[in-house]
Amino acid sequence: MRIRIKIYQALVNRVPAIKKEYHRLRRENPTKTGRIYAWLILIKMNVCFLWSGQKMKYNMYHPDERKKIKSGITESEHAFAMTPRQLAEKLLESDIISFDIFDTLIFRPIDVPTDLFYFVGEKLHFMDFAKIRRETEQYIRQRKYRKWGTYEITLEEIYEELEFKTGISRAVGMQTEMETEMEFCFANPYMLEVFDILQTAREKEDKQIICISDMYLSSAWLKQILQKCGYTGIDEIFVSCEEGASKSKGTLYEKIITQYTNNTSSGNARNKRFVHIGDNRESDIECAEKHGFEAIYYPNVNLSGISCRAEDMSVIIGSLYRGIVNARIYSGLKQYTFDYELGYIYGGFFVMGYCQFIHQYAENHKVDKLLFLSRDGYIIKKVYDQMYSGEREKENGETEYVYWSRAVAVKLMAKYDRYDFLRRFVDHKVNQKYTIAGIFESMGLIDMMGDMINEITHNRTQDIIKLDTYLTDKNAYVVRHYLLTHWAEVISHYKNTMNAAKQFFSSVLENCKKVAVIDVGWAGSGALALDTLVNKEWELECDLVGLLAGTNSFHNVEPYASEQFLYSGKLVSYLYSQEHNRENWKWHNPTKRHNLLIELLLSSKEGSLLDILSIENTVIESLSDKSPKSVNNNFCFIQKKPDVNGERVEQIHRGILDFVEEYCRYIPKYYRERHCISGSDAYAVLKILLQSDLQVELDEGI
């Protein structure tokens, strides 16, 4: 045994990269054949390390680099194939119906069972408890095998040794771990539906439902967990630590068959059919079939999702994320659309972390109100209200979704920043096949078009410009010059919008001294423009701070446009900035549509804002129907026609909301409040989406 341990230490534990990969292989291949395969790969990895150790280390530090999602293919298509009713009908063909417990009837919101020990260790206030707890269990099993020839142990035996090694009270430690199990375990929704069908059917048929588990917890405690999760009416629970027999050796199956075949109280007991369902191919399937049971394999949801999930995350938050996503996507309860999975797998985790960041900032800086800017702010506000409604006295007035857009902001800021105005409406559209008429229409200056053409014709400074002339590098300077020389007239065109915006935001910001503006990104111009207008133009005396998801990155044409405002705290970024998660700031690339993909996760069904008007209802009815309109009290918001597929947007948002609801349901509030999702962890999940080729989805317009 000592020689075996020394070999294990030399081949597995010596190199962290090899250790991580070996344990991943064992999780994915738990059978005897899988063990042989893993050891062959282990030997190969050790040989390779002698020649290319640096490459292995690189792969360890960048585990998600090659992970991508496949365009149009859903993960849930690869989940358990039977419907709950089909499985129930199959099980009802047998007399004794046996279920594995953990990862079959019951899920935990973690992707590795032993990660639960991190939460136990936090409650016990003991450093490195998870590692000590794992090692102690392994030591006790080895000691038990040497002395008694069995690996089956009880929780009490584990904590007796822990008390001796660490000083942790055996009683306190056991109670803490059992309470944590109870706190975190939840029903597999698929199996709960199967169980309900079986319970109804067994009233008419003589069927018995039992549970079998290789576990150190007692059957009495497991019964409490099962009942808490909604599984009532189980006839008997067989646990390896109490029976002195195990599934993995097959002896527990033999013991159960002997018990039920010797019981002749009902019919011909010796002809009873036994069926078992579980997630371990070796102990639940091969051993069950070898010892007289029929067996149905229910794939472990975390093994099914391991190749798709982000791993480059902090250990606890990463485990929670993967555990929750895998439970929903791979349980087999339902197949989801590609858009729903985009929202659930990638959008939900990010938006929830962003909302935690917003809430934390609001609490720490005593913010009076949160303004969620259209259109990306729509789903963020819904999530924020879902998470925090009712927590503060002014809840009904502290969050508001407001119509705002970069186009409107640039127009109203023309008085203060003509450079940005010309850059957006002229410079960025040069040689992009925009006509001169289209440029002036986008600026709301179509009536100035004729005057410009007449002026150019009169001065004959260059070739004649017409309405359908394209804006090019050869004529753009003429347009710029004309606008600059008529700047007072340009500004006058936005007078009505300026007055309406002042009235609207005066009512929105009434009695507010400190406001956070939620503006996804990227330069933060929406929040900065609003701050200038509120305090310089309208003199409302309200401090506005922009809370961004992300900033301009290294790959932007203007990477440092907002740096002074990030430095001063006028803008604060969640995912990354130059001085925060800098490696993500260097990786994020708008030219690869990274910005667009994140915006598509968040965008509402509405078109972007074109104008704000302060008018009476009688006038609203006379407005052109060419653009959609939203009416709020005495204000009318003119919008572009929607540029997204409304049904797909709803699917994405449904996925986001469902993830947040389940995260809040399965993770106790105490942990959610103390363990916020960091920008680094949120970006690790988004990164798999961003590095994927979703050209078709973008072209179709999510």
Side-chain angles (χ1 to χ4, degrees), residues 342-359 372 376-388 518 520 549 574-575 598 601-603 652-653 655-657 659-660 677-678 682-683 685-686:
L342 280 181
Y344 190 90
I345 298 172
Y346 304 100
F349 187 72
F350 154 55
V351 175
M352 182 169 186
Y354 190 19
C355 286
Q356 288 177 329
F357 164 79
I358 293 166
H359 185 68
F372 295 83
D376 299 336
Y378 176 79
I379 186 62
I380 300 170
K381 182 183 184 300
K382 289 196 74 169
V383 170
Y384 188 91
D385 290 344
Q386 178 178 324
M387 292 173 63
Y388 298 111
I518 316 308
V520 171
Y574 169 56
L575 292 174
I598 291 177
L601 287 175
L602 304 176
S603 184
I652 293 172
H653 287 187
I656 290 172
L657 293 168
F659 175 87
V660 173
I677 297 167
S678 70
Y683 197 81
V685 171
L686 287 173

Side-chain angles (χ1 to χ4, degrees), residues 578-589:
Q578 281 201 70
E579 60 181 357
H580 169 61
N581 295 335
R582 185 173 172 84
E583 67 283 0
N584 292 331
W585 176 80
K586 290 190 287 186
W587 187 87
H588 189 91
N589 192 345

Side-chain angles (χ1 to χ4, degrees), residues 371 373-374 402 404-410 413 420 505 517-534 544-548 562 571:
L371 298 186
L373 303 186
S374 62
V402 295
W404 192 242
S405 69
R406 177 161 167 73
V408 171
V410 170
M413 281 290 291
D420 190 48
F505 281 101
V517 179
I518 316 308
D519 184 19
V520 171
W522 302 92
S525 57
L528 292 173
L530 197 55
D531 180 55
T532 299
L533 293 168
V534 164
L544 270 68
V545 174
L547 303 184
L548 311 179
S562 307
L571 295 177

